[in-house]
Structures are given as structure tokens and as C-alpha cells.
Amino acid sequence: MFIGEFTVAQWFLLVHRELLLFCAAFFAIGVIDEFSVDLSYIWMRLRGRIAVPKIDESQLTERPLTGRAAVLVPAWQEAAVIGPTIYHMLEVWPYRDLRIYVGCYHNDPPTMASAMAAARGDPRVRIVVHGEDGPTSKADCLNRLYAALREDEVRSGTATRMIVLHDAEDMVDPAALALLDNAMDAADFAQLPVMALPQRGSALIGSHYADEFAESHAKALLVRDALGAAIPGAGVGLAISRDMLGRFGDEPFARQSLTEDYELGLRIAEAGGRGRFLRCRTADGRLIATRAFFPSRLDHAVRQKTRWMHGIALQGWDRLGWQGSAADIWMQLRDRRGPLAAILLSLAYLLIGLSGLLYLLVSSGAVAAPEYSGLLGWLLLLNLIGLGWRFAMRALFTAREYGWRQGLLSVPRLIVSNIIAIMAARRALSAYVGTLRGATVIWDKTEHQDHPALAARAEAHA
């Protein structure tokens, strides 16, 4: 059968070759990018520019805070986890200068009831009820909490020194608040690592977050910090000096942004503030980080990755543009590559199917075996080496934090991560087009049913 001057088989070979060359070239760029980060990390570790210090936890936590610390916790339909979060926070942070502001909505009584029960009348906790029907947006809820904080400052005459952001499902580290307090002596913004805990009931979907954060928050952000690039907020375990946040007006959190935490870190750097990424361990080796369980269902994981991709890659480009040093531009390119990477991954999986069909056609004698250029051969070899290196790096960083079994599982989970990214990219692009047409940004959050503090207690009594 002929289509124009070519047979169907010839068209098939042409399409296969062009797709292969396209994907190989762009994946090669990605391989070079990842190699650059890895080599930068290794070089800086050897030169001492990147280090993970060990601290004396008792000396750090036994001292009072330098000033008042306000923890803002926005919550919408979080009755299952907000109680353990508040209870644990009050238990491990017994500071007099701690104030916890929990943002609830009047049309979400279960979350309010759970938060009040966990507070047990502790004067350090304030339940702030949003006047609008929930959900609005996470940034809007944070702005309401910030307004309550300002009211308290006027009423009490006591200024806040730093503001810390946390989510309703977080388990904070006992040493985290003191470490952030120390960091505010020389920084305007500080971010602690996030530990996404592996989940027995979701070995592939829920646990793939553990691999991503283990590598990103043990390597990429350390390189970013060492290069002097802006540190983005991760939404939890981050502190901002009160003076710096006050520069952004009465509503410092971008209401129309889906990733106001990420945006805030870059805006602070643009305003001349100094950001830090703090990766430290206690003397017994515990990483001082925020621990949490991430979505364990496919649809929930896709929704969460959709929000991240929409906010960071699409809104970030639109709202923040491209600015800063060469290192900043490099890191912004890495932050915003998600949609393009998802398209390339989709084409790569399509090529796997087409290559299988090509093998059958060649084996049956329907078409002659194609001949490819030397350039394509070198690109494919580079991609193969890069894939092996990527698997090894992911497994290494995961195993270092969670053990060798989780390190081995990180290899198949990388494929799961790719599939989720492809699904999220489609939804993110659709949602972004909707906002361009005037759609309202809402809090498209995921549900949380389990909490690390409850899981730890259950294991202790097992």
C-alpha cells in the first residue's frame, strides 16, 4: 500500500526514526543536566563546600527561643490528622515563645473540633476561623492566619521573630524549631528537608515520594544552596523572618498561586533576602526534617503532582519570569521542565511499543532492518548510560536514608513516578488553560488519613 511516494512500511520507518532522534537528543540534554548536578555535588562534597553537620541536640533544644515563633498551619478537611500534628508539636516543642495558628473554615466543623481537642486548652494554640466558605486557596488561608498574628502582636505588644509554615499532616522534629531559630540570626528564609516516609500499604505509589525527596533534599537543594541560587519553599518546615515577610504587605502569600511556598522563596531572594537550606543530623544520625505520609492512591498522587506542576512549572514561568544569576536561571529551568519531561516520557513509552512492532516487521521480512546514523547511536548510548546512572543515584540516596530494600524498590518506583508525571502533566496543562480563561484557583488538596506520629506509637506498642 502506498501513501504518496512511500509505502506504509516506509512511512512507519520514517516516523520511528524521527521520533527516536527527537527523544534521544532531548533526553541527552537531560542526562547532561543531571550529570552536571551530580558532579557538582560530588565536587563540592570533596571540597567541603557541601557538608551535613552533626549537632548536639540537647544543647540546641534546652535553650529558650531567641524570640517568638509563630507556626502557621492551614487546614481544610483535615480532621483525621490535624489532632496528632498539634498534639505532637506541643509535646516536642515545649517553648513558651511558641504560638501555633491553625486555620480552619466555618463550614468544616470536624477539623475545628479535632484541632480544639488536641490543643487541650493550651494558650499557645489559636484556632482561627476563616470567614469565607472553604476551601478558598491555601495561600488565602495563610493570609488569614497572618492577619490573626498581626492582631495578636498589636494586642500583646510582643513582636514575632520568625514565622514557620507547616501542613496539617506533618510530624515535626524535636530539634527543628531551635535549628530554624538559630538560622534566623544570619538568614531571612530557611528550609528544612522533607522526609516522605515509605508506606507498607503502598510500596509503589505512596512510597515513590520517599525516593524523590531523598534525592532532591539530599543533593539538588544542597547544590542549589552552595551555588548561591534562590532556595524555594517546600511548604513545610520553612521559616521566614518576621521583618522580611512584612515587606510583602498585608497579604504576603500569593492568593492566586498554587505553590505560594515555592514562589515565596524566590520572591525573598529577589528582594535581597538570604535563603538557606539546612540539612543537619543529630549525634545519633537522625536527620532533622519534617516527616509525613504522602498520597498512597494513584488519583490522589496525580492530583498532588498536578498542583505542583501547574504552580511551579506553568504559573512560575508566568508569574515570576526568568531572573537572577546564571545559577538561578539553571535551577528555574530544572524546576519548570516538568511538562516537557512528561511529553518526552510519553513519546519514549510510545517508542517502546513502536520498536516492538518494528522488530516484528523486520523479523517477518516485511521491511528491511533500518540503518541509523552514528550520531543517533552515540545519543542512544549516552541515554543508556544516563538511565543506568539515574537508577544508581536514586537507589543510593534512597538506601542511605531508608535502607537497602527501599533502595532496590526505588528502581521500579522510578517508572511509577514517570507514569504519574505524565498523567499529572495532562491535567496541569488543562488546568492552566482554564486559569487563563478566568477560572478561580481553589485548594485542590489531597486527603490524609494516616499520621507518622500515630504510626510510630502503634509500632512502639506492637
Side-chain angles (χ1 to χ4, degrees):
M1 180 179 176
F2 289 84
I3 301 178
E5 298 180 358
F6 296 95
T7 66
V8 172
Q10 288 174 325
W11 274 111
F12 177 81
L13 288 175
L14 179 63
V15 170
H16 181 271
R17 185 187 64 191
E18 295 304 315
L19 274 179
L20 190 59
L21 181 60
F22 176 81
C23 289
F26 277 95
F27 274 121
I29 295 173
V31 168
I32 294 170
D33 174 55
E34 290 297 336
F35 271 142
S36 299
V37 173
D38 293 338
L39 293 177
S40 298
Y41 172 79
I42 294 170
W43 175 251
M44 291 177 181
R45 284 298 298 262
L46 293 175
R47 295 294 300 272
R49 290 182 60 187
I50 288 178
V52 181
K54 287 192 174 182
I55 63 174
D56 187 329
E57 184 178 5
S58 61
Q59 289 187 1
L60 182 68
T61 58
E62 288 176 0
R63 299 195 304 265
L65 297 177
T66 307
R68 178 162 294 181
V71 181
L72 309 187
V73 186
W76 163 250
Q77 295 185 346
E78 298 286 14
V81 292
I82 188 63
T85 292
I86 296 173
Y87 185 91
H88 177 76
M89 201 176 286
L90 292 172
E91 184 178 42
V92 301
W93 289 347
Y95 305 102
R96 293 180 57 187
D97 282 325
L98 169 67
R99 295 294 183 272
I100 302 172
Y101 291 80
V102 183
C104 301
Y105 291 85
H106 68 88
N107 58 332
D108 184 15
T111 298
M112 282 191 287
S114 181
M116 287 188 288
R120 296 164 293 168
D122 193 311
R124 296 178 299 165
V125 180
R126 179 175 174 186
I127 311 299
V128 180
V129 181
H130 201 300
E132 297 183 25
D133 288 344
T136 51
S137 69
K138 185 177 178 181
D140 180 56
C141 190
L142 285 169
N143 284 329
R144 177 64 185 91
L145 292 175
Y146 181 64
L149 180 152
R150 293 171 62 225
E151 293 168 4
D152 285 353
E153 287 178 326
V154 173
R155 186 181 301 112
S156 67
T158 302
T160 301
R161 182 169 187 261
M162 72 172 178
I163 295 169
V164 181
L165 304 188
H166 270 291
D167 282 346
E169 70 275 13
D170 294 343
M171 184 174 81
V172 300
D173 190 279
L177 196 63
L179 184 61
L180 291 170
D181 182 60
N182 279 359
M184 289 296 102
D185 290 339
D188 302 290
F189 175 92
Q191 174 68 62
L192 293 174
V194 175
M195 284 189 70
L197 302 178
Q199 302 176 48
R200 292 180 180 178
S202 185
L204 293 178
I205 296 173
S207 298
H208 90 276
Y209 290 94
D211 313 325
E212 293 181 345
F213 279 98
E215 187 171 8
S216 173
H217 285 205
K219 182 188 64 178
L221 278 176
L222 287 174
V223 170
R224 195 168 189 151
D225 189 38
L227 290 174
I231 303 298
V236 302
L238 66 91
I240 313 107
S241 73
R242 175 67 179 86
D243 291 341
M244 174 55 71
L245 197 62
R247 297 186 191 181
F248 297 104
D250 294 342
E251 293 191 348
F253 301 100
R255 183 191 293 255
Q256 295 302 314
S257 175
L258 288 168
T259 49
E260 71 294 324
D261 44 358
Y262 170 89
E263 184 172 316
L264 181 63
L266 272 59
R267 289 169 65 201
I268 288 174
E270 182 185 1
R274 186 189 179 197
R276 292 287 314 282
F277 181 67
L278 306 175
R279 187 175 176 88
C280 303
R281 294 186 184 273
T282 59
D284 62 359
R286 186 185 82 244
L287 181 66
I288 301 176
T290 303
R291 290 162 173 80
F293 288 129
F294 279 69
S296 58
R297 285 175 41 182
L298 178 61
D299 57 338
H300 290 177
V302 170
R303 283 173 56 193
Q304 185 172 66
K305 292 290 184 72
T306 297
R307 180 170 61 84
W308 291 351
M309 197 176 295
H310 184 178
I312 295 173
L314 301 175
Q315 282 190 331
W317 186 333
D318 190 15
R319 292 173 56 82
L320 301 174
W322 303 88
Q323 54 195 336
S325 65
D328 283 311
I329 299 299
W330 179 22
M331 294 302 156
Q332 289 166 22
L333 281 167
R334 288 175 55 82
D335 293 341
R336 298 169 187 176
R337 65 185 178 180
L340 176 60
I343 293 172
L344 290 173
L345 286 169
S346 300
L347 292 176
Y349 286 123
L350 173 62
L351 272 171
I352 292 174
L354 293 178
S355 297
L357 179 57
L358 177 60
Y359 174 78
L360 294 176
L361 292 174
V362 172
S363 299
S364 65
V367 296
E371 295 183 3
Y372 298 119
S373 66
L375 173 62
L376 180 57
W378 282 109
L379 288 173
L380 292 175
L381 177 60
L382 177 61
N383 286 331
L384 182 61
I385 295 172
L387 180 62
W389 180 264
R390 189 80 276 116
F391 280 140
M393 287 294 101
R394 180 62 60 90
L396 175 65
F397 280 95
T398 301
R400 186 176 67 172
E401 213 61 64
Y402 303 107
W404 66 269
R405 289 185 177 84
Q406 293 298 331
L408 291 177
L409 284 172
S410 72
V411 175
R413 287 199 293 246
L414 187 57
I415 300 173
V416 173
S417 176
N418 289 342
I419 294 172
I420 292 174
I422 292 170
M423 298 172 69
R426 183 192 65 79
R427 294 184 79 244
L429 288 169
S430 176
Y432 179 63
V433 171
T435 59
L436 293 178
R437 294 175 176 175
T440 304
V441 174
I442 61 171
W443 195 346
D444 187 18
K445 60 176 289 297
T446 51
E447 297 179 7
H448 305 98
Q449 298 298 326
D450 202 359
H451 195 281
L454 294 178
R457 290 172 189 168
E459 289 183 5
H461 292 89

